[in-house]
Amino acid sequence: MRIAIGSDHAGFDQKAPIAEHLRAQGHEVIDLGPTSAERCDYPDYADKVARMVARGDADRGVLICGTGLGISMTADKVPGIRATPVQTVQFAQLAREHNNANVIGLSGRFVPLETNLQIVDTFLATEFAGGRHTARVEKIMREDDPSFPGVGDDFGL
Ligand code: RB5
């Protein structure tokens, strides 16, 4: 698989070992930075990775910041991206099976590297389950369309 990877300063230390781990498995890894642990802004790297996945130039994206939160929030705003923070292997599996996530945000400060390696392996190995989840994922994606008027607030209550 072709994997785009990026971080901020708080995720920097885990970026290279994760990239190496994936390369050792035969994946093509494109490291979009940063190139040093100097303080930087996670939205810049989230944007680079997310746009590469959205363009189809990478199959999946892996992002690492302190919590995995801000970097996922940013990536998820790019049309075509389904990004989520993931802190456990089970959530990595469900993010793929139920939500067809194409980008994950890892925590470099609160989750050890060994766990993040297992999370990334699961994220890459797990297929979308389809079935009842297909229409729900389509409903996620309609939010990308600025002309989508929303479902309204009349739920018959
Ligand atoms: C950087 O201090 C920190 O805010 C960032 O890495 C991330 O955790 C944001 O969501």
Side-chain angles (χ1 to χ4, degrees), residues 8-11 39-40 42 64-71 109-110:
D8 70 354
H9 52 285
R39 195 164 296 278
C40 62
Y42 59 80
I64 317 135
C65 70
T67 57
L69 301 179
I71 211 158
R109 283 186 174 151
F110 298 96

Side-chain angles (χ1 to χ4, degrees), residues 62-91:
V62 174
L63 291 165
I64 317 135
C65 70
T67 57
L69 301 179
I71 211 158
S72 301
M73 287 179 191
T74 312
D76 197 58
K77 289 189 178 292
V78 173
I81 294 304
R82 291 174 299 280
T84 183
V86 172
Q87 293 107 11
T88 69
V89 170
Q90 190 176 19
F91 273 39

